[in-house]
Amino acid sequence: MTNVFDDGEIVEYEYLWEWQAEKGRTNAEKDRPVCLAMVIRDDEQGLTHLIILPISGTPPRPDQDAMVTPSLELQLHPAVAEGRRHDRA
């Protein structure tokens, strides 16, 4: 069974932060909510490429790029706002 994803969908993903990878980790500590910023289907190769943006309640460091999730979006996805996790896709 394959999942069909849409741009902007929020799913749970085993996201490995850059600092974790720099410490030599290869697996994330836990699944995290992410936004599927762009979904690119390649029917010729039978692949789906995903550009994902992690969602975190931790404020970014000065050297990190980040954006604030608008409160309306948090209302549409209360599990993200409350820190609960979605089922893994």
Side-chain angles (χ1 to χ4, degrees):
M1 181 167 112
T2 59
N3 293 316
V4 177
F5 299 108
D6 293 316
D7 294 348
E9 188 172 346
I10 295 176
V11 298
E12 191 169 289
Y13 181 76
E14 189 178 323
Y15 188 88
L16 186 68
W17 295 101
E18 182 179 18
W19 67 267
Q20 293 171 322
E22 288 172 352
K23 287 187 173 186
R25 296 184 190 174
T26 57
N27 292 57
E29 296 173 356
K30 60 184 177 180
D31 291 348
R32 301 179 185 282
V34 297
C35 177
L36 302 178
M38 188 177 295
V39 178
I40 305 165
R41 291 175 183 80
D42 183 343
D43 293 330
E44 191 172 300
Q45 293 184 14
L47 298 173
T48 300
H49 304 276
L50 304 174
I51 296 176
I52 60 172
L53 302 174
I55 299 171
S56 175
T58 303
R61 298 185 318 256
D63 64 327
Q64 291 178 313
D65 292 324
M67 57 189 274
V68 175
T69 303
S71 59
L72 177 59
E73 289 299 319
L74 293 176
Q75 291 171 16
L76 294 173
H77 302 286
V80 172
E82 296 173 14
R84 294 193 316 255
R85 301 293 184 232
H86 295 272
D87 292 333
R88 188 170 186 172

